[in-house]
Each structure stands twice: as structure tokens, then as C-alpha cells.
Amino acid sequence: NDLTQNFMFEDILYHKSADGIAKITINRPRVRNAFRPKTVMEMERALADARFDADIGVIIFTGAGDLAFCSGGDQKIRGDYGGYKDDSGVHHLNVLDLQRQIRTCPKPVVAMVAGYAIGGGHVLHLVCDLTIAADNAVFGQTGPKVGSFDGGFGASYMARIVGQKKAREIWFLCRQYNAEEALEMGLVNTVVPLKDLEKETVAWCREMLCHSPIALRCMKAALNADCDGQTGLQELAGDATMLFYMTEEGQEGRNAFNEKRKPDFSKFKRNP
Ligand code: 2NE
């Protein structure tokens, strides 16, 4: 494929294709792509780049190798003061910022999952807009087993997707679920043979790239608004403002102010 352009990061790989797809890959396969604060910071930087690159329409999140998408927070550097330690000893739970960044990114974000999506890694795929799973994918939460939990999107958004009973089962029993079980629960959009994972994911992305960017953006905000309270409404309303700024009616107000005259909205009809 043509996902070739490389950027320099330590914990992730970042590629952008000529046809509008960005790919962010957690590159820590030796720890099943567990994330540390630096991993998350690099993902945030790459996601921001993809968001603000007007040539990018869809973003893929994935993990290096076939064994794991992501196994959550790196337990080897989990500290005693409320988070995961960076090199200077500061404790972070910055993956929660990344989750919000994925939700508010106005472009579709697609999780491409081979192997384990576990713990905080499971919540990461959950908050992506779509999930394409390989037939070797395994899903689950481990929090109550390892002394952690995600009561944010990991709880409420998961329950919206799989229902309250199933969400409680996933969190209370900490079982692992295979790709077919995940499909049945609505946790993933499709399951494909491992060898076809990237090809199929890129095909889904290209299908979205054929569609109206503004329609996709507004639908993502609209679907978020239902779960995200005032923040969700703000996002959707922001898109309405963006569209209004593009109209002659909106521009008349700005022009009148700048030209120091009264605005004339008389020619704009009131739609039923
Ligand atoms: C992912 C899983 C199921 C894979 O099992 P397996 O048998 O394929 O591999 P293995 O041997 O367990 O792991 C291979 C190497 O990766 C490391 C392991 O320690 C091992 O390294 P060595 O000990 O041989 O040196 N590794 C795997 N996951 C790691 C992790 N998360 N942190 C550090 N090292 C890791 C199995 O490995 C597993 O269950 N992993 C732990 C999953 C987990 O509990 N994640 C944390 C959940 S809490 C969280 O993510 C979180 C949150 O709840 C709230 C906020 C932020 C984060």
C-alpha cells in the first residue's frame, strides 16, 4: 500500500498517504503495545497533525505486530502517586486526554485491531469511531484485576454500545472475548482474516473519503452529543457556527460591523 510518509517518534510510527489516510501505530510490541506517558503524548501530537492537515480525511489507530493493538497502561512504570511515571517522575493519566481528543477530532478515527485490545487499550479502540478487527483479536478489561478502572468513556460509552448487563459483565468478571463475540456485542464493525486486516481497513477508509467531509464531521458530532453532555452539544453547535460563517447571511453581520454600517438581513428568507 501507499502509507509511506514517516515522521520521527520514539514510541509510535506515523504515516500519511497521498490519498488522505493518516496511520498512527503504537510501536512497543515487546510489551504488547502498552502505553507510557510518552507514547500518549506522541499519539496526541500525531493526531493533532492529522486533524489539522487538510489533505487528511480519515485516521487509523493501530498497534505494531500481530499480537496486540494495545494492552493499556504500562504497568511497569505505574507509580504510587496517581498515574504512569514519565522520565522525570511526573505521574500521568494522559490517555484520558487522548480519548477526548479522539472523540472531538472532526474526522473519522478507525481502530485497526490485531491481537489484544485490553484494559486501557480496549477503551482506546472503543472511543474510535469504527473498529475493524482481525480474526485473532481479543477484547477485554482487566482493571478490577490489576487495581485500576476507567469509569469515564470506559463505563458509560461502553454501556451505550453493549448494554448495561454486558458492560457490567465485562468489567466485573474481566473475561476475554474473541473477535466473533465482540462483533455479536456490537463492539466492532467487522471481523476479517488477519492477512486482510490492513487492506480491508484502508478500503473502509477510502469509502468514507468519497463522502462529504462536512456531513461526516457533523454526524460524528451529532452521535457524540448524545453521550457527551454539554461538551457534545458544544461540538455539534460549533459545527453549526462553522457552517453559518460560510453563508452570506452570516457574512453580512461581519461585513456590516467592519464597514461601520447597520447590517441588512432583509434579503434572507426565514426557512420554514
Ligand atoms: C495483553 C496480555 C493479555 C497478553 O498476554 P500474553 O500472554 O500474550 O503476553 P505476556 O507474556 O503477558 O506479555 C508479554 C510481555 O508484555 C508485557 C508483559 O509483562 C510481558 O513482558 P515480560 O514480563 O516478559 O518482560 N506486558 C503486557 N502488557 C503489559 C502492560 N499493560 N504493561 C506492561 N507490560 C505489559 C497480557 O500481557 C495482559 O493481561 N497484560 C496486562 C493488561 C493490563 O492489565 N493493562 C492495564 C489495564 S489498566 C489501564 O490500562 C488504564 C486504566 O484502567 C485507566 C487509566 C489508564 C490506564
Side-chain angles (χ1 to χ4, degrees):
N1 64 53
D2 57 358
L3 301 171
T4 49
Q5 191 179 348
N6 276 294
F7 288 69
M8 294 311 293
F9 287 112
E10 195 179 332
D11 282 12
I12 68 165
L13 304 170
Y14 182 45
H15 304 87
K16 292 198 274 188
S17 75
D19 67 350
I21 302 172
K23 185 170 78 158
I24 299 170
T25 306
I26 304 176
N27 190 25
R28 306 187 75 219
R30 261 178 295 173
V31 286
R32 300 294 187 266
N33 295 319
F35 53 78
R36 54 179 175 168
K38 179 195 272 273
T39 322
V40 173
M41 285 172 202
E42 291 185 354
M43 292 170 84
E44 288 174 329
R45 271 170 48 212
L47 181 55
D49 177 85
R51 174 184 177 158
F52 290 107
D53 184 336
D55 293 329
I56 294 297
V58 183
I59 299 140
I60 297 173
F61 263 50
T62 194
D66 295 342
L67 296 181
F69 168 76
C70 176
S71 62
D74 187 330
Q75 300 305 299
K76 295 175 171 66
I77 50 100
R78 184 172 144 187
D80 296 334
Y81 298 102
Y84 296 82
K85 268 186 297 184
D86 68 18
D87 290 344
S88 61
V90 177
H91 290 58
H92 301 261
L93 281 173
N94 55 350
V95 75
L96 305 179
D97 300 327
L98 176 63
Q99 292 173 5
R100 287 194 297 274
Q101 196 185 338
I102 293 169
R103 294 277 294 176
T104 56
C105 175
K107 301 173 180 180
V109 181
V110 181
M112 179 168 84
V113 178
Y116 290 103
I118 290 282
H122 185 253
V123 180
L124 267 188
H125 103 83
L126 198 70
V127 298
C128 290
D129 297 296
L130 301 174
T131 297
I132 313 296
D135 51 11
N136 77 335
V138 180
F139 300 87
Q141 298 298 154
T142 62
K145 224 167 39 179
V146 300
S148 180
F149 61 87
D150 182 339
F153 287 120
S156 50
Y157 189 50
M158 182 196 286
R160 289 283 172 98
I161 292 172
V162 301
Q164 284 283 346
K165 292 280 181 190
K166 207 72 196 175
R168 283 159 211 249
E169 174 190 314
I170 291 170
W171 275 104
F172 293 178
L173 281 77
C174 296
R175 287 184 183 163
Q176 294 182 352
Y177 301 87
N178 66 31
E180 284 303 329
E181 291 168 324
L183 184 62
E184 226 168 84
M185 284 188 261
L187 268 177
V188 306
N189 295 87
T190 190
V191 179
V192 298
L194 177 60
K195 68 174 176 37
D196 298 332
L197 180 62
E198 179 131 356
K199 191 172 65 151
E200 189 65 22
T201 307
V202 168
W204 281 55
C205 292
R206 287 188 176 146
E207 240 180 281
M208 289 186 279
L209 287 169
C210 295
H211 298 152
S212 153
I214 288 183
L216 296 182
R217 174 190 182 114
C218 291
M219 276 316 300
K220 176 166 177 170
L223 290 161
N224 283 353
D226 178 36
C227 301
D228 292 1
Q230 296 220 358
T231 304
L233 291 175
Q234 185 220 29
E235 224 181 285
L236 186 60
D239 284 347
T241 306
M242 177 191 79
L243 291 169
F244 185 49
Y245 272 31
M246 296 178 188
T247 66
E248 211 187 319
E249 182 177 337
Q251 291 160 14
E252 167 59 14
R254 174 203 60 195
N255 292 345
F257 176 82
N258 287 330
E259 291 161 16
K260 301 189 186 306
R261 60 175 172 80
K262 273 182 78 172
D264 177 10
F265 292 112
S266 60
K267 68 173 168 174
F268 303 109
K269 300 294 168 232
R270 286 166 172 80
N271 285 337

